[in-house]
Amino acid sequence: MSNENNQGYVYILTNPSFREDWVKIGKSSRPVDVRSKELDNTAVPLPFEIYATLKTSKYDKVEKQIHKQIDRLTDLRIRQNREFFNIAPSVALDIMRDIADLLEDAELAVYVDGKPVISGSKEEDKKIKAANENEKRKQAKPAFKFHMVGLNVGDMIVFDALNLPVKVASDDKIEYEDRLWSLSAFTAEFLPEKMQNTSGAYQGPKYFSYKGKTLNVLREELENK
């Protein structure tokens, strides 16, 4: 019987700065969000995003098996001594699922909007991936500008996490303590630790409000009109 204390993770990571068919497939004895943060360094322009994880006591063997299965398809490693592969994340997930089906203690999770969703079958994988793609399409909007919600330079908005008023300094910047910030950069810098996500990337308009409504809600209301 597997000892849960010896369980670890095999992970599939993507990165917005990479091509869509590039993934990193590795293993970790610790939670994958910890590992993904370790990989966030100056060599990578943007943080890694968790696509899927497989928790099992046989994580070391599973990682090697996934690598072997991909290598059998063709020479898909971007560099032979690295865990990066030129393969669509959905294909990597299918291979991970096939192996997970053979394990008694496997717990497969697919990530949607940065959060893990436990998956029990390939059909569920498809639904989860469809939801994930739908979420990405929703997010593929033009970058937020204050004029989109009728705000002008000098108007005051509130950083809701700290109930902190800040001033609109330009169409896409705010001013705080004589320094200019984008909404996302300000959020990443000042958001309380308990509210932070695993990727370290934030949609700034969700965290600021004007007259009691968040900026993203104001934008949606105006766009729907």
Side-chain angles (χ1 to χ4, degrees), residues 103-188:
L103 303 174
E104 293 183 0
D105 67 341
E107 184 178 291
L108 182 66
V110 180
Y111 278 64
V112 177
D113 197 21
K115 298 178 182 179
V117 179
I118 302 301
S119 172
S121 67
K122 283 191 175 183
E123 287 305 312
E124 287 184 29
D125 289 348
K126 291 177 182 178
K127 292 178 182 179
I128 293 169
K129 285 187 288 184
N132 204 7
E133 290 302 315
N134 187 47
E135 184 65 27
K136 287 182 179 179
R137 283 193 292 272
K138 287 180 181 178
Q139 294 173 6
K141 297 180 178 180
F144 176 85
K145 304 291 183 181
F146 285 111
H147 76 265
M148 295 174 174
V149 294
L151 291 175
N152 301 301
V153 172
D155 288 337
M156 300 298 293
I157 60 176
V158 177
F159 182 55
D160 293 326
L162 300 176
N163 195 29
L164 178 68
V166 295
K167 184 169 69 174
V168 175
S170 71
D171 204 19
D172 61 356
K173 295 288 191 302
I174 56 175
E175 180 181 342
Y176 178 67
E177 294 184 342
D178 299 321
R179 179 176 171 183
L180 297 182
W181 302 80
S182 69
L183 296 179
S184 57
F186 189 94
T187 302

Side-chain angles (χ1 to χ4, degrees), residues 3-221:
N3 183 351
E4 193 168 318
N5 293 329
N6 294 328
Q7 287 186 323
Y9 300 85
V10 180
Y11 54 76
I12 301 171
L13 301 182
T14 59
N15 194 296
S17 61
F18 292 172
R19 285 170 33 175
E20 290 184 1
D21 57 352
W22 281 14
V23 296
K24 177 176 174 59
I25 302 172
K27 65 183 179 182
S28 176
S29 59
R30 295 168 296 157
V32 179
D33 59 338
V34 175
R35 177 60 177 149
S36 64
K37 285 182 179 180
E38 290 176 346
L39 295 168
D40 184 14
N41 53 51
T42 55
V44 184
L46 295 171
F48 280 93
E49 297 177 354
I50 305 173
Y51 187 83
T53 62
L54 174 59
K55 183 180 180 182
T56 174
S57 59
K58 298 180 179 179
Y59 64 99
D60 184 61
K61 291 182 179 179
V62 169
E63 184 220 26
K64 292 177 181 177
Q65 185 63 30
I66 293 176
H67 289 182
K68 185 183 293 184
Q69 292 283 2
I70 295 174
D71 286 339
R72 281 175 177 168
L73 294 176
T74 185
D75 185 14
L76 295 176
R77 285 189 194 247
I78 296 171
R79 291 177 64 182
Q80 287 304 313
N81 61 338
R82 299 296 177 89
E83 298 172 342
F84 293 94
F85 296 87
N86 183 193
I87 186 173
S90 59
V91 176
L93 176 59
D94 285 342
I95 295 173
M96 180 181 279
R97 153 64 59 201
D98 288 340
I99 295 174
D101 287 343
L102 301 175
L103 303 174
E104 293 183 0
D105 67 341
E107 184 178 291
L108 182 66
V110 180
Y111 278 64
V112 177
D113 197 21
K115 298 178 182 179
V117 179
I118 302 301
S119 172
S121 67
K122 283 191 175 183
E123 287 305 312
E124 287 184 29
D125 289 348
K126 291 177 182 178
K127 292 178 182 179
I128 293 169
K129 285 187 288 184
N132 204 7
E133 290 302 315
N134 187 47
E135 184 65 27
K136 287 182 179 179
R137 283 193 292 272
K138 287 180 181 178
Q139 294 173 6
K141 297 180 178 180
F144 176 85
K145 304 291 183 181
F146 285 111
H147 76 265
M148 295 174 174
V149 294
L151 291 175
N152 301 301
V153 172
D155 288 337
M156 300 298 293
I157 60 176
V158 177
F159 182 55
D160 293 326
L162 300 176
N163 195 29
L164 178 68
V166 295
K167 184 169 69 174
V168 175
S170 71
D171 204 19
D172 61 356
K173 295 288 191 302
I174 56 175
E175 180 181 342
Y176 178 67
E177 294 184 342
D178 299 321
R179 179 176 171 183
L180 297 182
W181 302 80
S182 69
L183 296 179
S184 57
F186 189 94
T187 302
E189 180 70 20
F190 293 101
L191 192 67
E193 186 174 355
K194 64 182 180 180
M195 299 175 65
Q196 295 174 10
N197 61 30
T198 57
S199 70
Y202 302 92
Q203 295 181 43
K206 290 184 177 181
Y207 297 88
F208 292 81
S209 63
Y210 179 69
K211 293 185 177 180
K213 290 186 178 181
T214 59
L215 299 184
N216 66 309
V217 168
L218 286 173
R219 179 181 181 178
E220 288 176 2
E221 288 180 350

